[in-house]
Amino acid sequence: MIALRVLVVLILHVAILAGMIYTHIERLKAGRELTMTVEPVDPRDFFRGDYVTLTYAISRLTPKENETLEDWQRGDDVFVTLSQSEEGAWIADHLSRELLKNGDAPVIKGRVSWVQRNWTTATEAWAGEFEPNFARPLEVKPDRLCPGGCVEHIAVTYGIESYFVPQGEGRKIEELRNDGKVSIVIAVGDDGAAAIKALLIDGKRVYEETFL
Amino acid sequence: MRPPFYVRQLKRDLDDWIARGWVPATSRDMILGSVGGLGGRTSLAGVIATLGAVLLAAGAISFVAANWEAMSKILRLGVIFGALTLTYLLAALLFLRQMPHFAQAAILFGIAMFGAGLMLIGQTYHMNAGWPDGLMIWTLAAFAAAVIVPSRTALAAAIILTGVWTYFWLEDYGFARIHWAGLLALVAAFALAGWRQASAEVHLAFVALIVWLIWHAGILSDALGWSSAEVTAIYGLGALMVFLAGRVSNDTGFAYAHDLQRYGIAVTGIAVFCLHFTDLDGDTLISENWLVIAISAVLLAVLLARMAGARRQLLTSEEFAITGIATGIAAYPILLSHMGGALDLEMIYIVFAGLFIVWVIVHATRVEDRVIANLAFLTFGAWVIYLYTDVFQVLLDQATFFLIGGVMLVGLAILLEFVRRRVTAAEGG
């Protein structure tokens, strides 16, 4: 009986892993293809062992005119509606907390990984910190210190930021990427989830994701 | 579950009574079962096999990771699913061959293989799901194995994975939100471990819960607008209530009443110790609702103490002591907000901490809890040394300082030995 139960666990674990692969492959098949330009990043930061970090124009979102990003917090799920720039690159059009379909515009789901605030205006409150009887500011009120909001930008991750490469090939791809020769084809499902579908160098597909 | 020394002694006595014909042999397991002396036993072979499984898993993952890029995609999938299948088939076979310890080790290896599979599939298909999501799936898979098989090693793995998952989840959210799912998982772990009478896993879950609470102290402080002293005090009061709940249920046959008392009193002690440092962040103002919360918590502690007293699990003097301890902990944030780091508050704290430690020693000696008694003595020694160096060093010249200090330490050692012997004699060991 207990041996039978172990087999049930085996089936469950295999089903979870197989389900992951199936969902991913289905997303690649059915998802809408978007070609994303990869942005160069500081070489000292991006190379971590055997994968290349990919940063896109939609990875760092800054507030537009008459817009504030104050409400976003680290860990929030975010749906980013995309639009194409004049150069043809996909950029963020607007953000929402729910999946909102706006015509044919693709929507990609991400998670806020960092909120960059500018606290420079708060330093005034700390003037005389080392003086006797200094009263420590208890709470910084962003609305008072930064009219219009203190958030300079938010970083968003979409699950398409890592491209695993064979040992030793990372540098080569990174150099090409920093020369602006690398782009990534992603597949975005109806639910906004995205997956890497292909790697392009100089516009040619050098890697295509398949089941096997 | 009764303390291990009691169960050991009972086993020896039972064997003796059975040999004399006083107790029928058929009653042995029933009697031992009633005090938690059956099930949940850990054998040396099991421990070694489990450690072996951990090392094997680390070796297998390292080997695969080192050679991963050289493999084709189909071979990679073959390795992942093949290793998983072979491991669980081996576990099933070991159960059939009546080798449960090795089977449990194989289950643990299977869970490690599942985690490796998660990571390697992510790498193969360039999936970059966040760490917390992957760890959540891994934790749930371990819990599933713990329930279905059932498996103690899987439960231990699930508890450890819950801790790791909580950490990465909190880090992902910048330690700004409460990880309720982690707390829920720990509650499930307690229930499972209690149900299976797996005492080692109960301890593991207690430790994981304490770690969870420590990680959330700052988050609670921000979320509720409480000062560090208030959060520490509420942790201390909560732990005191856990101790009291353990005393109340002491004679009900609840298997973990003894563990509740030990962890409750230990965490109360840690909270009392930490209260001393809660003014370091400069935020000592009490929140508007603290008085209501503090009074409610003290009343609840007093009520629990009364219940324990009514069941003859606490002496009347101990009920008063509990009231004093709860009041002292609850009042500390208020005193801190009014007195700041004044010397008067320092003296009040030292006296309070000293009285608390003395009460723990007296109580632990009365209920013959050697672990808590020794721990309290150790703390008392540290408290005396702290008190002596902090207060008397400035008042005495160097020679007198060392002489008196030496006499005090020798006296303390004699006292400790005296009480140790008394406790040991009372336990009959």
Side-chain angles (χ1 to χ4, degrees):
Chain A
M1 185 62 186
I2 198 163
L4 206 64
R5 289 178 178 175
V6 174
L7 295 183
V8 172
V9 172
L10 167 65
I11 293 166
L12 181 71
H13 284 194
V14 167
I16 293 170
L17 294 179
M20 270 175 63
I21 299 172
Y22 176 79
T23 312
H24 184 74
I25 297 299
E26 280 303 303
R27 185 171 294 143
L28 293 178
K29 276 187 196 165
R32 178 173 171 180
E33 267 193 29
L34 304 175
T35 303
M36 310 295 289
T37 310
V38 177
E39 297 195 337
V41 290
D42 186 342
R44 284 169 300 184
D45 291 339
F46 63 73
F47 187 68
R48 288 169 59 192
D50 53 358
Y51 69 88
V52 179
T53 300
L54 304 168
T55 311
Y56 308 92
I58 55 172
S59 298
R60 206 173 97 147
L61 307 176
T62 48
K64 292 176 182 170
E65 205 173 334
N66 299 325
E67 186 188 63
T68 174
L69 296 174
E70 286 299 324
D71 293 339
W72 294 100
Q73 288 179 3
R74 198 169 157 183
D76 283 349
D77 285 335
V78 54
F79 290 91
V80 182
T81 305
L82 305 178
S83 63
Q84 271 188 305
S85 68
E86 288 175 4
E87 294 81 26
W90 288 102
I91 55 171
D93 189 41
H94 68 266
L95 319 180
S96 64
R97 292 186 188 275
E98 285 156 17
L99 182 62
L100 300 173
K101 278 289 177 189
N102 182 15
D104 195 35
V107 179
I108 184 169
K109 185 184 177 187
R111 183 173 283 177
V112 178
S113 59
W114 185 254
V115 177
Q116 180 64 45
R117 293 177 186 275
N118 179 0
W119 292 117
T120 49
T121 48
T123 53
E124 200 179 312
W126 288 89
E129 184 186 358
F130 300 106
E131 299 297 321
N133 304 322
F134 168 72
R136 177 192 162 118
L138 286 179
E139 199 180 343
V140 177
K141 300 279 184 195
D143 54 335
R144 220 170 50 209
L145 294 165
C146 320
C150 291
V151 175
E152 287 187 332
H153 72 257
I154 59 173
V156 181
T157 54
Y158 303 90
I160 51 171
E161 285 76 20
S162 297
Y163 185 77
F164 294 89
V165 294
Q167 205 76 36
E169 282 189 27
R171 285 281 175 204
K172 199 170 75 184
I173 295 176
E174 283 158 9
E175 282 166 13
L176 288 166
R177 179 201 58 191
N178 289 351
D179 291 341
K181 293 177 178 173
V182 174
S183 43
I184 295 286
V185 177
I186 62 167
V188 183
D190 286 340
D191 58 352
I196 292 178
K197 190 167 186 178
L199 174 78
L200 278 66
I201 293 178
D202 277 337
K204 288 181 188 167
R205 289 193 183 218
V206 295
Y207 174 83
E208 182 94 35
E209 186 75 277
T210 55
F211 173 44
L212 293 175
Chain B
M1 186 174 285
R2 298 302 170 111
F5 67 82
Y6 174 77
V7 175
R8 277 197 304 273
Q9 183 64 44
L10 185 63
K11 277 179 186 168
R12 280 198 294 267
D13 289 344
L14 270 175
D15 290 339
D16 183 40
W17 296 336
I18 290 166
R20 289 166 190 250
W22 296 348
V23 173
T26 47
S27 302
R28 185 183 185 276
D29 285 356
M30 215 152 55
I31 295 169
L32 285 176
S34 72
V35 296
L38 286 177
R41 284 171 294 188
T42 309
S43 79
L44 185 63
V47 172
I48 293 172
T50 305
L51 288 175
V54 171
L55 290 178
L56 276 173
I61 293 168
S62 305
F63 175 78
V64 171
N67 296 280
W68 199 241
E69 296 304 338
M71 296 180 195
S72 64
K73 208 177 257 184
I74 191 164
L75 189 59
R76 292 178 189 189
L77 294 179
V79 168
I80 292 168
F81 288 106
L84 203 59
T85 306
L86 283 177
T87 305
Y88 282 120
L89 287 179
L90 178 68
L93 188 69
L94 288 167
F95 274 122
L96 288 175
R97 293 277 172 91
Q98 305 298 320
M99 290 192 274
H101 298 312
F102 291 99
Q104 292 285 356
I107 296 282
L108 182 64
F109 188 76
I111 288 165
M113 286 296 101
F114 177 82
L118 269 178
M119 288 183 259
L120 294 172
I121 285 171
Q123 185 172 337
T124 298
Y125 291 98
H126 305 289
M127 290 185 233
N128 189 33
W131 266 102
D133 297 340
L135 282 163
M136 180 187 70
I137 295 170
W138 197 358
T139 306
L140 291 178
F143 266 113
V147 175
I148 296 169
V149 175
S151 165
R152 285 185 61 183
T153 52
L155 181 55
I159 294 167
I160 293 167
L161 283 169
T162 301
V164 181
W165 169 34
T166 295
Y167 177 79
F168 279 98
W169 191 93
L170 290 173
E171 198 187 59
D172 220 34
Y173 285 90
F175 281 84
R177 299 181 193 191
I178 297 168
H179 190 220
W180 292 112
L183 186 62
L184 197 67
L186 288 178
V187 170
F190 271 116
L192 262 178
W195 180 37
R196 298 287 175 200
Q197 293 201 354
S199 59
E201 284 71 20
V202 168
H203 288 296
L204 201 58
F206 265 116
V207 172
L209 180 64
I210 292 168
V211 171
W212 190 95
L213 288 168
I214 291 169
W215 281 339
H216 282 79
I219 302 169
L220 282 174
S221 173
D222 290 341
L224 302 171
W226 286 4
S227 67
S228 302
E230 287 169 317
V231 173
T232 310
I234 212 70
Y235 275 12
L237 289 166
L240 190 64
M241 286 180 219
V242 168
F243 162 78
L244 291 168
R247 284 311 295 169
V248 170
S249 58
N250 202 40
D251 62 345
T252 60
F254 176 55
Y256 297 101
H258 196 75
D259 292 326
L260 284 180
Q261 293 168 52
R262 280 187 171 177
Y263 282 99
I265 207 73
V267 175
T268 308
I270 293 169
V272 168
F273 173 73
C274 290
L275 275 176
H276 193 40
F277 305 101
T278 50
D279 62 336
L280 291 179
D281 65 357
D283 182 12
T284 56
L285 289 178
I286 53 164
S287 53
E288 289 173 6
N289 51 6
W290 178 250
L291 205 60
V292 177
I293 290 165
I295 292 171
S296 308
V298 172
L299 287 177
L300 195 57
V302 171
L303 181 71
L304 281 169
R306 187 74 281 281
M307 284 169 70
R311 287 171 168 273
R312 299 188 176 191
Q313 296 300 320
L314 277 184
L315 302 175
T316 309
S317 58
E318 287 181 312
E319 287 182 49
F320 283 116
I322 292 288
T323 307
I325 291 165
T327 309
I329 294 173
Y332 190 84
I334 300 168
L335 294 176
L336 187 66
S337 71
H338 285 90
M339 300 166 78
L343 189 63
D344 289 348
L345 181 62
E346 175 84 6
M347 293 311 294
I348 291 171
Y349 172 80
I350 287 171
V351 171
F352 174 68
L355 288 174
F356 171 74
I357 299 168
V358 168
W359 175 76
V360 174
I361 291 170
V362 170
H363 173 76
T365 308
R366 186 180 74 77
V367 300
E368 296 166 11
D369 189 330
R370 201 189 302 183
V371 174
I372 290 295
N374 284 341
L375 207 64
F377 262 109
L378 202 69
T379 315
F380 185 72
W383 176 79
V384 168
I385 292 167
Y386 166 75
L387 182 65
Y388 183 65
T389 52
D390 197 48
V391 178
F392 291 98
Q393 193 173 19
V394 290
L395 302 175
L396 304 172
D397 65 63
Q398 205 171 36
T400 320
F401 173 77
F402 283 120
L403 279 172
I404 295 177
V407 170
M408 275 179 63
L409 282 180
V410 170
L412 186 68
I414 292 168
L415 180 70
L416 202 144
E417 180 60 19
F418 170 74
V419 177
R420 191 192 67 78
R421 284 186 185 193
R422 209 181 129 190
V423 173
T424 311
E427 285 173 8

